[in-house]
Coordinates of all heavy atoms in Angstrom, one line a residue:
L349 N 95.8 -25.5 -58.0 CA 96.8 -25.6 -56.9 C 96.2 -25.5 -55.5 O 95.1 -25.0 -55.3 CB 97.8 -24.6 -57.1 CG 97.3 -23.2 -57.1 CD1 97.8 -22.4 -56.0 CD2 97.7 -22.4 -58.4
K350 N 97.0 -26.1 -54.6 CA 96.6 -26.0 -53.2 C 97.1 -24.6 -52.7 O 98.3 -24.4 -52.8 CB 97.2 -27.1 -52.5 CG 96.7 -27.3 -51.1 CD 97.1 -28.7 -50.5 CE 96.5 -28.7 -49.2 NZ 96.6 -29.9 -48.6
C351 N 96.2 -23.8 -52.0 CA 96.6 -22.6 -51.4 C 97.7 -22.8 -50.3 O 97.5 -23.8 -49.6 CB 95.5 -21.8 -50.9 SG 94.1 -21.5 -52.0
P352 N 98.8 -22.1 -50.4 CA 99.8 -22.3 -49.3 C 99.3 -21.9 -47.9 O 98.3 -21.1 -47.8 CB 100.9 -21.4 -49.8 CG 100.3 -20.3 -50.6 CD 99.0 -21.0 -51.3
D353 N 100.0 -22.5 -46.9 CA 99.8 -22.1 -45.5 C 98.2 -22.3 -45.1 O 97.8 -21.4 -44.3 CB 100.2 -20.7 -45.2 CG 101.7 -20.5 -45.5 OD1 102.4 -21.5 -45.3 OD2 102.0 -19.4 -45.9
N354 N 97.6 -23.3 -45.7 CA 96.2 -23.5 -45.4 C 95.3 -22.4 -45.6 O 94.2 -22.2 -44.9 CB 96.0 -24.1 -43.9 CG 96.5 -25.4 -43.8 OD1 96.3 -26.3 -44.7 ND2 97.3 -25.7 -42.7
M355 N 95.7 -21.4 -46.5 CA 94.7 -20.3 -46.8 C 93.5 -20.8 -47.4 O 93.5 -21.8 -48.2 CB 95.5 -19.3 -47.6 CG 96.3 -18.3 -47.0 SD 96.9 -17.1 -48.2 CE 98.6 -17.2 -48.1
G356 N 92.5 -20.1 -47.2 CA 91.2 -20.2 -47.9 C 91.4 -19.8 -49.3 O 92.3 -18.9 -49.6
S357 N 90.4 -20.1 -50.2 CA 90.5 -19.7 -51.6 C 90.5 -18.2 -51.9 O 91.2 -17.6 -52.6 CB 89.3 -20.2 -52.4 OG 89.3 -21.6 -52.5
W358 N 89.5 -17.5 -51.1 CA 89.4 -16.2 -51.2 C 90.5 -15.4 -50.5 O 90.9 -14.3 -51.0 CB 87.9 -15.7 -50.8 CG 86.9 -16.0 -51.8 CD1 85.9 -17.0 -51.8 CD2 86.6 -15.3 -53.0 NE1 85.1 -17.0 -52.9 CE2 85.5 -15.9 -53.7 CE3 87.3 -14.2 -53.6 CZ2 85.1 -15.5 -54.9 CZ3 86.8 -13.8 -54.9 CH2 85.7 -14.4 -55.5
E359 N 90.9 -15.9 -49.4 CA 92.0 -15.4 -48.7 C 93.2 -15.4 -49.6 O 94.0 -14.3 -49.7 CB 92.4 -16.3 -47.5 CG 93.2 -15.7 -46.4 CD 93.5 -16.7 -45.3 OE1 92.9 -17.7 -45.3 OE2 94.4 -16.4 -44.5
F360 N 93.5 -16.4 -50.3 CA 94.7 -16.5 -51.2 C 94.4 -15.5 -52.4 O 95.4 -14.8 -52.9 CB 94.9 -18.0 -51.8 CG 96.1 -18.1 -52.6 CD1 97.4 -17.8 -52.0 CD2 96.1 -18.7 -53.8 CE1 98.5 -18.0 -52.7 CE2 97.3 -19.0 -54.5 CZ 98.5 -18.6 -53.9
F361 N 93.2 -15.4 -52.9 CA 93.0 -14.5 -53.9 C 93.3 -13.1 -53.5 O 93.9 -12.3 -54.2 CB 91.4 -14.5 -54.3 CG 91.0 -13.5 -55.3 CD1 91.0 -13.8 -56.7 CD2 90.6 -12.2 -54.9 CE1 90.6 -12.8 -57.5 CE2 90.2 -11.2 -55.8 CZ 90.2 -11.6 -57.2
D362 N 92.8 -12.7 -52.3 CA 93.1 -11.3 -51.8 C 94.7 -11.1 -51.6 O 95.2 -10.0 -52.0 CB 92.5 -11.1 -50.4 CG 90.9 -10.9 -50.6 OD1 90.5 -10.6 -51.7 OD2 90.3 -11.2 -49.6
Y363 N 95.3 -12.2 -51.1 CA 96.7 -12.1 -50.9 C 97.5 -11.9 -52.2 O 98.3 -10.9 -52.3 CB 97.1 -13.4 -50.2 CG 98.6 -13.5 -49.8 CD1 99.1 -12.6 -49.0 CD2 99.4 -14.6 -50.3 CE1 100.5 -12.8 -48.5 CE2 100.7 -14.7 -50.0 CZ 101.3 -13.9 -49.1 OH 102.6 -13.9 -48.7
L364 N 97.2 -12.7 -53.2 CA 97.8 -12.4 -54.6 C 97.6 -11.1 -55.2 O 98.4 -10.4 -55.7 CB 97.5 -13.5 -55.4 CG 98.0 -15.0 -55.2 CD1 97.5 -15.8 -56.3 CD2 99.4 -15.1 -55.0
L365 N 96.3 -10.7 -55.0 CA 95.9 -9.4 -55.5 C 96.7 -8.2 -54.8 O 97.3 -7.3 -55.5 CB 94.4 -9.2 -55.5 CG 93.9 -7.8 -55.9 CD1 94.1 -7.6 -57.4 CD2 92.3 -7.8 -55.7
N366 N 96.7 -8.2 -53.5 CA 97.2 -7.1 -52.8 C 98.7 -7.1 -52.8 O 99.3 -6.1 -52.9 CB 96.7 -7.2 -51.3 CG 95.2 -6.8 -51.2 OD1 94.7 -5.9 -51.9 ND2 94.5 -7.7 -50.4
E367 N 99.3 -8.3 -52.8 CA 100.8 -8.3 -52.7 C 101.5 -8.2 -54.0 O 102.5 -7.6 -54.1 CB 101.2 -9.6 -52.0 CG 100.8 -9.8 -50.5 CD 101.3 -8.7 -49.6 OE1 102.5 -8.3 -49.8 OE2 100.5 -8.3 -48.7
I368 N 101.0 -8.9 -55.0 CA 101.7 -9.0 -56.3 C 100.7 -8.6 -57.5 O 101.2 -8.8 -58.7 CB 102.4 -10.3 -56.5 CG1 101.5 -11.5 -56.4 CG2 103.6 -10.4 -55.5 CD1 102.1 -12.9 -56.7
Q369 N 99.6 -8.2 -57.3 CA 98.6 -7.8 -58.4 C 98.4 -8.9 -59.3 O 98.2 -8.7 -60.5 CB 99.1 -6.6 -59.1 CG 99.1 -5.3 -58.1 CD 100.3 -5.4 -57.2 OE1 101.4 -5.5 -57.6 NE2 100.0 -5.2 -55.9
V370 N 98.4 -10.2 -58.9 CA 98.1 -11.3 -59.8 C 96.6 -11.7 -59.5 O 96.2 -11.9 -58.3 CB 99.0 -12.5 -59.5 CG1 98.5 -13.8 -60.1 CG2 100.4 -12.2 -60.0
V371 N 95.9 -11.9 -60.6 CA 94.4 -12.3 -60.5 C 94.3 -13.7 -60.8 O 94.5 -14.0 -62.0 CB 93.5 -11.3 -61.1 CG1 92.1 -11.8 -61.0 CG2 93.8 -9.9 -60.7
G372 N 93.7 -14.6 -60.0 CA 93.4 -16.0 -60.3 C 91.9 -16.2 -60.0 O 91.1 -15.3 -59.8
T373 N 91.5 -17.5 -59.9 CA 90.2 -17.8 -59.5 C 90.0 -18.7 -58.4 O 90.6 -19.8 -58.4 CB 89.5 -18.5 -60.8 OG1 89.9 -17.8 -62.0 CG2 88.0 -18.7 -60.7

Side-chain angles (χ1 to χ4, degrees):
L349 58 115
K350 190 169 181 170
C351 302
D353 302 328
N354 289 321
M355 272 191 243
S357 297
W358 283 103
E359 194 185 349
F360 189 54
F361 176 91
D362 290 335
Y363 183 61
L364 291 185
L365 177 62
N366 291 317
E367 298 297 324
I368 54 174
Q369 295 73 54
V370 168
V371 182
T373 312

